[in-house]
Amino acid sequence: MQQDTSVPRTPAAGPSAARPSARAARRAGISAFIGTTIEWFDFYIYGSAAALVLGKVYFADASPAVGTLAAFATFWIGFLARPLGGLVFGHFGDRRGRKKALVITLTMMGGATFCVGLLPGYAQIGAAAPILLVLLRLIQGIAMGGEWGGAVLIATEFAPPGRKLLYGAFAQQGSPVGNLLATLAFLGIAQLPDAAFESWGWRVPFLASAVLVAVGLFIRLRLAETPDMAAVLERKQTSRLPVKDVLSTYPLLVVLGVLAGTAGVAITYVKTTFALSWATTDLGFDKSTFLTVISLALVVQVLVQPFGAVLAARWPLRKAVLWMLLPEFVLLPLMFVLVGTGNFWLAVLGMGLATFPHAMYYAALAGILARVYPVEVRYTGMSLSYQACTALFAGTAPIVSQYLLTATGSIWSVVALGLGYVVITVAGVLPLLARTGQTAPALSPEPATAAP
């Protein structure tokens, strides 16, 4: 792959960075996987609740359609807060270390999720209920915004040489597993009578998440700082203001990173959060049946996603990316056709096939973004690109999809939206690969400054 030689380059870490043992690298990868699984479980159960019940509980005065849109809007708020979380914890992680930032993000996410499970509805406390719901979703979003970049770096900065793309997939695997656990949790609760589900049943996954968070904290507190970051801290060469260095030195890479993440983060919300509402409202699927469809599609994602990282590690990245993304132009329309039949097994087939492209690409995305920036500003840079992408595209996907369906009366407008996400991704990732090559750029022209 031809590299842009106009960008100066340095190694990702200085000479004092000792390479970790294979055991330490595996432990870091497993820790990243478990931590992100717990965080994504907390984040995704909100999406399932938004599609099924939050409109009724917190926007009771609205019509069902408006209540669902309002619930999806609170879902989006979590994504709007993610860039802020990426900046705050990116700064902290680039200045003080990855481990400390990740302990805080997991604690914040667990606390906010537990409180949602305790929050009274509109019938009990009136307008205060949706206001508090929004505040708790904001905290979730800030925590998730800081979590992703740190988890990816825990995995990739411990990775053996030449295997960062593969180890980045450890952190990415937490998303489908967390989503699957969240969906299974709601599938179990959905067996309750509607009255019990809407009054207290939906709260159980939120409250039960406290146990998972305790497990995650136990694992993270035992993890060491990454070798790359430990070397920077030892040399006292942390960036004084990482976001300034990123935006002044790499503005084009930030924008390309935003575009490059689109299909990997947005299509899954069209296929799950929006499709769950569409199928149960317009197509006659009951909650349990379509949650089962989504669960089976997530099992497919868990199984096939790691192969995206393997493909990216063995093939030229440009070729691998195109082979992963282009089949979506056939498989996503096919999915909506098959789901639209109302047949359970055809819906499973459609959802499963459409999972392959964006899931495999998502596995490689972490490693692609992790290599874009030098270690001194890596947490901030990759978090800024990824979280801005989620705010612009992923968080808006359910509400824009619902709006398009309501405005046009045709599901094909939603299909066009999903395919547009693929076009945006290709337009961003190909020039990003051409400009970053295989190594991290140097932090220039501003030198790193000593930490106080």
Side-chain angles (χ1 to χ4, degrees):
M1 183 180 299
Q2 184 177 2
Q3 296 183 2
D4 183 357
T5 55
S6 64
V7 180
R9 305 187 185 279
T10 59
S16 61
R19 292 276 24 116
S21 66
R23 180 181 178 186
R26 286 194 300 271
R27 182 186 301 145
I30 293 170
S31 172
F33 164 67
I34 293 174
T36 53
T37 296
I38 294 167
E39 292 254 9
W40 280 117
F41 172 82
D42 285 2
F43 202 75
Y44 279 126
I45 56 175
Y46 192 99
S48 296
L52 296 174
V53 71
L54 294 187
K56 299 174 184 177
V57 175
Y58 293 99
F59 303 94
D61 284 351
S63 67
V66 173
T68 299
L69 281 172
F72 281 159
T74 66
F75 178 72
W76 180 30
I77 285 169
F79 287 88
L80 287 177
R82 282 170 64 169
L84 175 60
L87 289 177
V88 170
F89 288 102
H91 177 91
F92 186 84
D94 282 331
R95 297 277 294 160
R96 302 299 179 192
R98 313 335 189 181
K99 173 183 174 179
K100 293 178 181 178
L102 288 174
V103 169
I104 297 173
T105 59
L106 186 57
T107 303
M108 285 180 60
M109 175 65 84
T113 303
F114 187 78
C115 287
V116 170
L118 296 175
L119 184 64
Y122 188 90
Q124 286 76 46
I125 59 174
I131 293 172
L132 291 173
L133 182 68
V134 168
L135 290 176
L136 292 172
R137 184 60 176 169
L138 281 171
I139 295 172
Q140 275 195 324
I142 292 170
M144 194 71 244
E147 162 71 20
W148 181 84
V152 169
L153 293 183
I154 284 288
T156 58
E157 290 182 354
F158 269 102
R163 305 193 71 184
K164 292 187 182 295
L165 277 168
L166 289 173
Y167 273 70
F170 274 97
Q172 298 296 75
Q173 196 71 355
S175 178
V177 174
N179 197 351
L180 176 60
L181 293 177
T183 305
L184 290 175
F186 267 89
L187 177 59
I189 297 300
Q191 306 309 311
L192 291 170
D194 287 347
F197 176 82
E198 293 174 11
S199 63
W200 60 268
W202 69 269
R203 299 177 183 273
V204 173
F206 289 84
L207 299 175
S209 70
V211 177
L212 298 178
V213 170
V215 173
L217 285 173
F218 174 77
I219 293 171
R220 284 200 168 161
L221 288 169
R222 301 179 65 193
L223 193 67
E225 184 55 72
T226 71
D228 289 359
M229 191 61 203
V232 170
L233 293 171
E234 180 185 342
R235 298 194 307 267
K236 300 185 185 298
Q237 289 184 327
T238 56
S239 170
R240 187 174 297 279
L241 191 58
V243 66
K244 177 178 179 292
D245 289 336
V246 168
L247 293 178
S248 63
T249 310
Y250 311 114
L252 179 59
L253 297 184
V254 171
V255 173
L256 293 176
V258 171
L259 301 179
T262 305
V265 301
I267 291 177
T268 189
Y269 293 101
V270 176
K271 289 173 65 264
T272 55
T273 305
F274 164 75
L276 176 59
S277 176
W278 174 56
T280 55
T281 302
D282 297 344
L283 300 182
F285 283 96
D286 62 52
K287 293 190 294 290
S288 296
T289 300
F290 206 76
L291 284 168
T292 303
V293 172
I294 293 174
S295 297
L296 293 173
L298 288 169
V299 170
V300 172
Q301 183 174 354
V302 170
L303 295 176
V304 306
Q305 182 168 292
F307 290 100
V310 173
L311 193 65
R314 295 187 176 183
W315 286 11
L317 263 177
R318 177 187 175 92
K319 178 182 177 181
V321 162
L322 290 176
W323 273 91
M324 287 186 277
L325 287 175
L326 294 183
E328 197 78 83
F329 284 98
V330 175
L331 297 179
L332 189 65
L334 178 63
M335 182 203 86
F336 279 99
V337 170
L338 294 179
V339 172
T341 65
N343 179 275
F344 173 82
W345 288 111
L346 290 179
V348 170
L349 177 63
M351 293 278 282
L353 289 173
T355 296
F356 276 70
H358 71 87
M360 293 179 69
Y361 176 71
Y362 185 71
L365 179 62
I368 291 172
L369 293 181
R371 70 184 197 156
V372 169
Y373 304 97
V375 63
E376 297 90 348
V377 297
R378 188 175 292 153
Y379 200 148
T380 299
M382 66 183 297
S383 294
L384 184 60
S385 290
Y386 183 85
Q387 303 305 344
C389 176
T390 64
L392 290 172
F393 298 111
T396 60
I399 193 170
V400 173
S401 298
Q402 184 67 46
Y403 172 79
L404 290 173
L405 179 63
T406 302
T408 66
S410 171
I411 197 61
W412 290 103
S413 60
V414 180
V415 174
L417 175 69
L419 297 182
Y421 291 146
V422 181
V423 173
I424 292 170
T425 302
V426 173
V429 71
L430 295 185
L432 181 67
L433 294 176
R435 284 167 172 77
T436 57
Q438 297 294 331
T439 57
L443 183 59
S444 62
E446 296 185 17
T449 55

